[in-house]
Amino acid sequence: PMGVLSCVKYLMFIFNVLVFAGGTCLVGVGVWVAVDPAGFQDIVAAKPVLSVGAYLLLAVGIALSLLGFLGCCGALRRSRSLLLV
């Protein structure tokens, strides 16, 4: 039974690292679009949609990064409250 719990602990840690990395990538893309929207104007024709999309990417990326970080801490410390967040 202890081997299974250890495996689940590390699988949760790896999953949360992936969520954290994805959130960090979204933050990076959001900052890139917010700072230099010229490269994305070919893809998105309307400027208001582009600026709203950049801030949406930032918000979702920050939320995912925070959740991934808390999940990593919760998985390593076996903290139920951190994992429930």
Side-chain angles (χ1 to χ4, degrees):
M2 290 302 291
V4 173
L5 291 177
S6 179
C7 181
V8 169
K9 173 181 147 179
Y10 289 116
L11 284 175
M12 287 187 70
F13 177 76
I14 290 170
F15 176 74
N16 282 303
V17 166
L18 292 175
V19 170
F20 178 77
T24 305
C25 289
L26 283 179
V27 168
V29 171
V31 168
W32 182 26
V33 172
V35 171
D36 184 29
F40 288 91
Q41 285 181 354
D42 297 336
I43 299 170
V44 181
K47 277 190 174 183
V49 172
L50 188 62
S51 64
V52 170
Y55 293 119
L56 184 65
L57 279 176
L58 280 170
V60 170
I62 289 170
L64 282 177
S65 295
L66 182 63
L67 287 174
F69 178 74
L70 290 176
C72 286
C73 292
L76 288 179
R77 293 179 177 218
R78 294 184 182 172
S79 171
R80 184 181 172 119
S81 58
L82 282 176
L83 289 173
L84 288 175
V85 169

